[in-house]
Each structure stands twice: as structure tokens, then as C-alpha cells.
């Protein structure tokens, strides 16, 4: 009896610890949500509160009806995330697979070529000069993903995964008359779906969350992605929205802009998809999270 | 006789040569499809990883974009940018801050993550365990800009939660000393879920025989943790430690952006929040000083290169699967 009771106390306290930890992780987001649903006047006079003192959806209706900037930024982010993730996964898997094949004679040297950028890079200035002055990619949508079309670290991770594909499968495809490239797309890729999914998850989130690239190379508000729009809204929301919406005679509406609310509402919209996809993300947690870090 | 055998030999060797040629032709031909598969990746690597390398020279140049990297004049003396960087207090400040936050992170991060992982492992309910896991992982997936907003909602003088609910009227964005505590907390908050899950995975990989044997011997929960779980986590711990050690000076790769966003990039806070990466970024973007930025970045890259290479090789010794190459 006594022993059972002891375990009970321990279990309860573990649950309490985890409830507190979970709250510490979730409450800050709920706070942002709460602020976004509070009337601007209340925010100014009473400050921020978790539960709105004066409920209002004005910020959201402003975002959805009055401002084309935010909707457009959503479009840029979605485009870059989808195209960037697809290309990076494809190029990474193609390269990683070729590096595992014993037929390729120079594969040790080629692996070294992939390894070196993991150790040493030219630094921010060097990439900045390349992107903006050599390749003239400033203020184009391409700059947001071309630099990430290959990830040397992911090639090396993927290479380890692909080594576990049984040679006999590839051999039998060859005997059946399948070309090597066809074998890759029809047999190797489908077999590596789980690892592709978890690598893709991290790549997609990195693209979704990236604001630095946009910050460095984009000055045209029409090409702002969501995160960078948010970041510049923090500095000065009036300018960001005014520049883009000037043509639509928005100056008047800007005078009554619910500044604080719109900021927080945009923030919620930027987190939205990650929360919505969360159950799906969690499915890959157990498999995917340990990629490239520690084997189970 | 001898003539015939000679010609026979030459015929044979000619045939052999031809066979060899055919064989090499086959070997080359078999490789072609793989090179095609590698081509897009190789092109991207060449352009985006190798083409920027000459840009390192900017650290020794008086760069102007009209003349380009090679055309711009060298600075005189050649290490002028570096002298400038090291003689100002910037080099010391950013290096100190980089080490300060990384060392705190290397001590507190694993301690918290291992504790959380062990406790998470003690939870019997599968549903509640996965709910908790989901909750603590959430900050990992948020961008640094979202973190900036959360910090703003908490610290904004006059309106933030700290002043409106707790009545603390400190001007956080003006006072550097607070950030020696705030920044480590932010990084712990954002990272502990992820590393906890890594340790949970490591714990679930421990052979259950050990625990069963311990149960037979009547070991308590604490004893099992102390004598089985913790020792078995040692390799994982070592590898993660080595990885974070290697990443301290790894330019761009580390999660340095929090030092720009969470602080709202407030100039007043630089004494406590300026790390090497954020200085490289600011020298380029705000100060427009390409030479200084490149010098700081090269200084970081060289230390980073040595650290990453050495730690990766040590990891390779411990567990080849966890090393990069």
C-alpha cells in the first residue's frame, strides 16, 4: 500500500512538471493570440492581457480586407516554401544516391567536395556580393530559394540513409532492364519516403521561417515574405503597409490602423500553418527528429 | 617458331588491349547516369558554396562594388581590417559574448534536456506523453521573428505583460544587464524540447533487459535512473556536446538570429547581446563596412573550421554514424 502511494505522488508531480513546462511553451503564443483579438483602444490604455479586456476582430478584418501586402507576402512564402523544398529534396536525394553507388569512381573525392562547405564557408559578405553583384538576384523571387537548392549537410545525411537500401533491389531492377535513372525514381525514391518526409519537414520549416535572406536581398515590398514583412512591421508598420498600398488610396485607412493588433494578427497568421500541420508533423517526430543527430 | 609465338603474343595483347578498352568504356558508360543525377547538385554547390570563396579576399581589400572583388585595391597594411577589428573593443566583446552564451547553453541545455527526457520516459500514459512532447517541441518550430513578437508582448515597456500584469516597469530594451539572463532563457525555451526528444529517443534505444534485471534485484526508480539510464546516455551526451562545441564558431550555421530579433536589434543592448555573427551582419547591413564584416567573419570561420573538423573527427571515432563524413 505504502509503496503504491509513493509512486502515485511521484507520478502526479511529474505530470505537474510537464503541465507547467507545456504552459511555458504554449502560453506565449496564446498571449499573442489574445492581443490580436483585443480592441486597439484597450491595448493602448490597459496594456496587453492574455484574455482580451475588450474583444475585437478589427485587426483580422483589416488584414483580410484592407491590406493586399499581407496576403501577397503569404503567397510569396508559400511559393518559396513549396518550390524550394521540392527542389532541395530532389537535388539532395539525386546527389546523395549517386554518391552511394560503387560504380561511381570518384565518389570519395566528390563526397569531400560536399563535406568541405560543411566545415568552411565564405561568410555573409562573400555570399552577399555573389548574390547581389555577380548574379544580380537582388529583388527577384529566385534569391529566396536558389541559395538553398542544395544542402551539403543534408546530402551527407541522406547518403547514410540510402546506403541501407538493399543492393539486391537495385540489381534486380537492372536485370529487368531498368536504366539507372529510372531505378532511382521508381525504386530508390519511393523506398526513402520516410527519410525524405522528415528531411522535407525540416527544410520546409526552414524556408517558412526564413527572414534573413529576404532581409538581405529584397527591398521591394511586393516580394517580402511573411516573416520579413512581420520583422519590418515591428520597426515601422505604417511605412511597410503604406508603400505597398499607396496606389489603392490607403492613406486614409492607415490613419486608423490598429497598429498593435495588426502586428499580432499577422504574427498569428504566420504561425497558423505550422499549428494546423502540427498533428502531421508530430507523426514524423519520432522517426525524423533524430536525423543527423543521434541514432536510436 | 619464335616468330609465330611472337606474333601470337602481340595478337593476344592487342586483343587484351581492346578488351580492356571496352571494359573501361563500360565502366565510364555505367557512371554516366550517376553523373547526370549529381549534375544539378554539383552545379549548385559550385555556384553557391565555392564561387563565394574568393569573397574572403574582401577582408584584405578596400572593397568597392564598381571594381569588384579582384579589382578593388588592397588595404595597406594588408591586415588593416583585422587590426581595426581587434583594436576596437568589438572583437573582445563579440568573442566574449559568443563564448558566454554558448557555454551557458552547453551546461544548462543538456542538464534540462536529460531531466525532461527521463521524466517524460517515466510517464505511463501514451497520450499524455505525446501531448507534452508536442507542447515542448512547439518553440522549436517558431521563427526568430515570432520570438521577437513574443518577447515584445512580454517586455514592451508600458504595455507588455511584465508591466501590465506584474507591474514591473523596467525598460528592458534599454538595459543590457537583464539580457545576460533573458537570452539564455530564450534559447533554452526554444531548444530544450528538441534536445529532450533526442534524449528520449536515446533512452528508448536502451535494452530493456537491463531494467528487467534491475527490477528483479528490487532496484528503485532512482537507482535505475542513476545506474542504468544516465550511464547509457553518455555516448549521446558526448556526441551532442561535441556538436555544440564544434558549432560555437560556425558562422551562419548556429542559431544566432535570436540575438538580432529577440532584442529588437536595440543598439543599447549591444554590450550584452552582440555576438560575432550579429556583428558580421550589422557591419555589412547597417555600417556598410564590407572589409570589417569580412574580417570578423574570416576570423570566425578559421576558428570554426578547426573546431568543426576536430569535433567531427572525434565524433567519428565514438560513433561513425553520427559524424558528418
Amino acid at each position: 500500500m505504502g509503496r503504491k502511494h509513493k509512486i502515485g505522488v511521484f507520478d502526479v508531480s511529474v505530470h505537474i512538471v510537464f503541465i507547467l513546462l507545456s504552459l511555458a511553451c504554449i502560453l506565449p503564443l496564446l498571449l499573442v493570440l489574445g492581443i490580436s483579438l483585443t480592441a486597439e483602444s484597450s491595448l493602448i490604455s490597459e496594456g496587453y492581457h492574455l484574455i482580451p479586456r475588450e474583444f475585437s476582430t478589427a485587426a483580422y478584418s483589416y488584414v483580410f480586407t484592407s491590406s493586399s501586402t499581407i496576403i501577397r507576402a503569404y503567397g510569396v512564402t508559400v511559393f518559396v516554401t513549396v518550390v524550394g523544398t521540392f527542389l532541395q529534396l530532389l537535388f539532395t536525394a539525386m546527389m546523395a544516391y549517386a554518391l552511394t553507388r560503387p560504380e561511381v569512381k570518384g565518389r570519395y573525392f566528390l563526397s569531400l567536395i560536399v563535406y568541405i562547405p560543411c566545415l568552411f564557408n565564405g561568410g555573409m559578405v562573400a555570399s552577399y556580393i555573389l548574390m547581389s553583384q555577380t548574379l544580380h538576384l537582388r529583388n527577384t523571387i529566385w534569391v529566396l530559394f536558389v541559395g538553398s537548392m542544395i544542402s551539403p549537410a543534408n546530402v551527407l545525411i541522406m547518403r547514410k540513409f540510402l546506403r541501407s537500401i538493399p543492393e539486391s533491389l537495385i540489381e534486380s531492377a537492372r536485370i529487368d532492364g531498368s536504366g539507372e535513372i529510372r531505378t532511382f525514381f521508381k525504386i530508390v525514391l519511393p523506398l526513402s519516403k520516410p527519410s525524405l518526409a522528415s528531411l522535407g519537414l525540416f527544410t520546409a520549416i526552414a524556408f517558412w521561417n526564413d527572414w534573413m535572406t529576404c532581409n538581405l536581398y529584397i527591398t521591394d515590398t511586393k516580394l517580402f515574405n511573411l516573416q520579413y514583412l512581420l520583422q519590418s512591421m515591428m520597426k515601422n508598420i505604417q511605412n511597410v503597409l503604406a508603400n505597398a498600398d499607396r496606389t489603392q488610396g490607403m492613406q486614409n485607412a492607415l490613419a486608423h490602423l490598429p497598429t498593435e493588433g495588426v502586428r499580432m494578427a499577422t504574427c498569428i497568421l504566420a504561425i497558423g500553418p505550422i499549428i494546423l500541420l502540427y498533428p502531421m508533423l508530430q507523426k514524423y517526430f519520432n522517426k525524423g527528429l533524430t536525423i543527423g543527430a543521434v541514432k536510436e | 617458331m619464335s616468330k609465330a609465338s611472337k606474333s601470337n603474343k602481340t595478337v593476344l595483347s592487342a586483343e587484351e588491349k581492346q578488351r580492356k578498352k571496352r571494359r573501361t568504356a563500360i565502366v565510364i558508360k555505367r557512371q554516366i547516369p550517376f553523373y547526370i543525377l549529381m549534375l544539378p547538385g554539383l552545379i549548385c554547390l559550385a555556384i553557391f558554396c565555392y564561387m563565394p570563396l574568393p569573397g574572403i579576399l574582401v577582408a584584405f581589400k578596400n572593397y568597392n562594388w564598381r571594381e569588384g572583388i579582384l579589382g578593388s585595391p588592397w588595404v595597406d597594411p594588408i591586415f588593416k581590417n583585422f587590426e581595426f577589428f581587434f583594436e576596437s573593443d568589438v572583437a573582445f566583446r563579440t568573442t566574449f559574448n559568443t563564448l558566454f552564451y554558448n557555454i551557458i547553453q552547453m551546461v544548462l541545455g543538456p542538464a534540462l534536456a536529460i531531466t525532461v527526457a527521463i521524466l517524460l520516459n517515466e510517464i505511463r500514459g501514451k497520450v499524455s506523453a505525446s501531448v507534452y512532447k508536442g507542447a515542448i517541441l512547439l518553440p522549436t518550430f517558431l521563427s526568430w521573428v515570432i520570438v521577437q513578437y513574443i518577447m515584445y508582448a512580454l517586455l514592451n515597456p508600458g504595455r507588455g505583460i511584465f508591466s501590465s500584469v506584474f507591474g514591473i516597469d523596467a525598460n528592458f530594451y534599454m538595459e543590457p544587464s537583464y539580457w545576460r539572463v533573458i537570452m539564455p532563457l530564450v534559447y533554452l525555451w526554444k531548444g530544450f524540447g528538441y534536445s529532450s526528444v533526442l534524449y528520449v529517443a536515446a533512452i528508448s534505444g536502451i535494452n530493456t533487459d537491463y531494467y528487467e534485471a534491475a527490477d528483479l534485484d528490487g532496484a528503485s526508480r532512482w537507482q535505475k535512473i542513476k545506474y542504468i539510464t544516465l550511464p547509457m546516455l553518455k555516448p549521446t551526451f558526448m556526441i551532442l556536446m561535441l556538436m555544440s562545441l564544434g558549432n560555437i564558431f560556425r558562422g551562419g550555421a548556429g542559431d544566432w538570429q535570436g540575438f538580432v530579433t529577440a532584442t529588437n536589434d536595440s543598439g543599447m543592448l549591444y554590450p550584452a547581446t552582440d555576438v560575432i555573427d550579429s556583428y558580421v551582419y550589422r557591419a555589412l547591413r547597417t555600417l556598410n563596412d564590407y572589409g570589417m564584416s569580412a574580417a570578423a567573419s574570416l576570423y570566425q570561420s578559421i576558428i570554426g573550421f578547426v573546431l568543426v573538423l576536430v569535433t567531427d573527427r572525434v565524433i567519428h571515432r565514438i560513433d561513425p554514424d553520427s559524424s558528418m563524413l
Side-chain angles (χ1 to χ4, degrees):
Chain A
M1 259 323 265
R3 200 190 143 105
K4 231 179 186 175
H5 181 70
K6 241 184 196 168
I7 290 168
V9 169
F10 179 79
D11 281 335
V12 169
S13 38
V14 168
H15 276 281
I16 290 172
V17 167
F18 273 101
I19 288 168
L20 289 177
L21 279 176
S22 305
L23 284 179
C25 293
I26 293 168
L27 273 184
L29 287 183
L30 292 180
L31 171 66
V32 173
L33 181 65
I35 299 169
S36 74
L37 289 170
T38 309
E40 190 73 7
S41 57
S42 160
L43 289 177
I44 289 166
S45 61
E46 296 171 286
Y48 303 155
H49 291 278
L50 186 59
I51 297 153
R53 294 268 162 104
E54 199 181 316
F55 185 81
S56 155
T57 54
Y60 287 93
S61 61
Y62 175 84
V63 170
F64 283 118
T65 58
S66 312
S67 171
S68 61
T69 321
I70 296 165
I71 306 294
R72 183 190 276 274
Y74 231 101
V76 170
T77 295
V78 169
F79 174 79
V80 168
T81 304
V82 170
V83 176
T85 307
F86 173 77
L87 288 179
Q88 199 206 84
L89 276 186
L90 181 69
F91 291 176
T92 299
M94 278 160 60
M95 183 150 197
Y97 175 65
L99 289 178
T100 61
R101 298 306 304 159
E103 292 92 339
V104 179
K105 286 297 167 211
R107 67 184 185 284
Y108 293 110
F109 171 71
L110 289 164
S111 300
L112 205 61
I113 284 184
V114 181
Y115 184 50
I116 289 168
C118 295
L119 301 176
F120 189 85
N121 60 60
M124 191 180 259
V125 177
S127 320
Y128 183 77
I129 291 172
L130 175 84
M131 287 291 197
S132 53
Q133 279 146 35
T134 313
L135 301 175
H136 299 289
L137 287 173
R138 278 195 76 120
N139 280 324
T140 62
I141 196 155
W142 316 112
V143 77
L144 295 176
F145 64 86
V146 286
S148 313
M149 281 195 302
I150 194 92
S151 151
N154 286 355
V155 172
L156 296 176
I157 293 168
M158 195 72 203
R159 194 178 62 138
K160 278 177 193 151
F161 268 98
L162 292 172
R163 277 192 190 135
S164 63
I165 287 177
E167 182 65 28
S168 53
L169 275 176
I170 294 156
E171 202 69 42
S172 63
R174 191 175 293 148
I175 290 164
D176 288 344
S178 162
E180 301 294 349
I181 294 178
R182 203 179 125 96
T183 308
F184 170 73
F185 282 105
K186 294 285 171 190
I187 297 189
V188 178
L189 270 194
L191 277 175
S192 37
K193 251 186 207 159
S195 45
L196 282 176
S198 30
L199 265 191
L201 179 94
F202 280 90
T203 311
I205 285 175
F207 273 116
W208 186 272
N209 284 343
D210 176 40
W211 61 282
M212 190 44 91
T213 317
C214 199
N215 179 20
L216 287 174
Y217 304 111
I218 307 278
T219 49
D220 178 1
T221 35
K222 284 188 175 146
L223 288 173
F224 277 14
N225 66 17
L226 204 48
Q227 303 288 344
Y228 184 56
L229 182 72
L230 256 184
Q231 218 265 340
S232 29
M233 272 164 96
M234 184 61 100
K235 270 183 241 155
N236 96 42
I237 186 168
Q238 304 273 345
N239 265 9
V240 172
L241 296 181
N243 273 340
D245 291 337
R246 193 161 32 202
T247 47
Q248 296 162 25
M250 284 304 302
Q251 303 294 23
N252 226 356
L254 278 173
H256 310 286
L257 176 73
T259 314
E260 304 281 328
V262 167
R263 274 185 186 151
M264 297 298 173
T266 313
C267 188
I268 290 297
L269 291 176
I271 311 169
I274 291 182
I275 305 284
L276 289 179
L277 292 177
Y278 215 62
M280 201 198 81
L281 301 187
Q282 218 177 356
K283 220 177 84 185
Y284 290 107
F285 279 167
N286 299 327
K287 274 181 207 161
L289 276 183
T290 50
I291 278 192
V294 183
K295 61 172 180 175
E296 284 184 30
Chain B
M1 268 302 277
S2 66
K3 229 181 183 180
S5 73
K6 221 179 189 178
S7 71
N8 207 7
K9 229 182 193 173
T10 48
V11 167
L12 254 177
S13 66
E15 216 170 74
E16 224 164 55
K17 256 185 202 164
Q18 231 178 358
R19 207 179 299 155
K20 238 184 198 170
K21 244 187 199 170
R22 217 174 298 149
R23 213 177 298 144
T24 37
I26 289 170
V27 167
I28 289 171
K29 213 179 163 191
R30 282 182 79 180
Q31 293 189 52
I32 289 173
F34 298 112
Y35 279 107
I36 293 173
L37 284 177
M38 262 189 280
L39 198 62
L42 282 177
I43 292 172
C44 290
L45 274 179
I47 297 177
F48 299 108
C49 296
Y50 286 93
M51 254 171 76
L53 291 184
I56 292 170
L57 292 180
V58 173
F60 306 98
K61 292 236 172 181
N62 199 345
Y63 182 77
N64 65 70
W65 57 267
R66 216 171 293 149
E67 287 172 285
I69 296 166
L70 297 177
S72 296
W74 298 93
V75 285
D76 184 44
I78 199 83
F79 286 108
K80 195 174 152 204
N81 287 327
F82 290 89
E83 276 167 27
F84 226 82
F85 177 65
F86 286 108
E87 274 167 16
S88 67
D89 60 341
V90 175
F92 176 76
R93 184 173 84 185
T94 53
T95 309
F96 175 81
N97 285 338
T98 304
L99 286 172
F100 178 83
Y101 291 113
N102 271 295
I103 289 170
I104 290 186
Q105 201 57 31
M106 281 170 69
V107 174
L108 295 184
L112 181 63
I114 291 174
T115 314
V116 168
I118 287 174
L119 291 180
L120 200 56
N121 202 49
E122 296 290 328
I123 290 176
R124 302 234 174 73
K126 273 200 169 161
V127 178
S128 50
S130 89
V131 169
Y132 294 148
K133 232 194 225 179
I136 61 173
L137 268 167
L138 192 57
T140 306
F141 294 104
L142 301 179
S143 80
W144 281 114
V145 179
I146 306 287
V147 174
Q148 178 174 19
Y149 273 71
I150 289 171
M151 296 309 287
Y152 184 76
L154 293 173
L155 305 179
N156 182 6
R159 293 180 204 156
I161 288 296
F162 275 82
S163 84
S164 74
V165 177
F166 301 115
I168 302 167
D169 266 325
N171 201 339
F172 290 100
Y173 290 114
M174 306 289 254
E175 180 50 55
S177 59
Y178 294 125
W179 293 82
R180 293 257 179 236
V181 180
I182 296 175
M183 283 320 295
L185 285 177
V186 170
Y187 273 84
L188 270 184
W189 179 77
K190 202 168 184 301
F192 86 97
Y194 180 75
S195 31
S196 301
V197 172
L198 291 183
Y199 281 109
V200 168
I203 292 176
S204 67
I206 299 173
N207 193 335
T208 48
D209 290 355
Y210 295 117
Y211 293 105
E212 280 158 21
D215 282 335
L216 284 179
D217 291 343
S220 69
R221 247 174 174 169
W222 170 239
Q223 281 173 322
K224 277 188 279 183
I225 289 169
K226 191 175 169 192
Y227 295 111
I228 302 172
T229 314
L230 285 179
M232 295 298 271
L233 285 181
K234 212 173 145 196
T236 309
F237 168 75
M238 292 281 285
I239 286 162
L240 289 180
M241 275 303 251
L242 283 166
M243 279 180 178
S244 34
L245 181 70
N247 282 336
I248 291 181
F249 287 96
R250 193 166 173 200
D255 251 343
W256 59 277
Q257 291 174 11
F259 288 95
V260 177
T261 62
T263 60
N264 233 348
D265 205 13
S266 162
M268 301 283 284
L269 303 180
Y270 291 155
T273 60
D274 213 11
V275 292
I276 300 176
D277 276 303
S278 64
Y279 176 75
V280 168
Y281 160 73
R282 199 172 62 252
L284 172 67
R285 291 296 288 166
T286 319
L287 315 175
N288 245 327
D289 191 339
Y290 285 55
M292 278 288 265
S293 181
S297 151
L298 183 59
Y299 153 70
Q300 180 194 36
S301 291
I302 290 169
I303 305 178
F305 171 73
V306 176
L307 269 180
V308 178
L309 187 64
V310 170
T311 52
D312 191 50
R313 291 299 88 194
V314 176
I315 292 170
H316 190 83
R317 284 250 177 112
I318 300 174
D319 174 19
D321 276 351
S322 298
S323 69
M324 283 192 284
L325 189 68

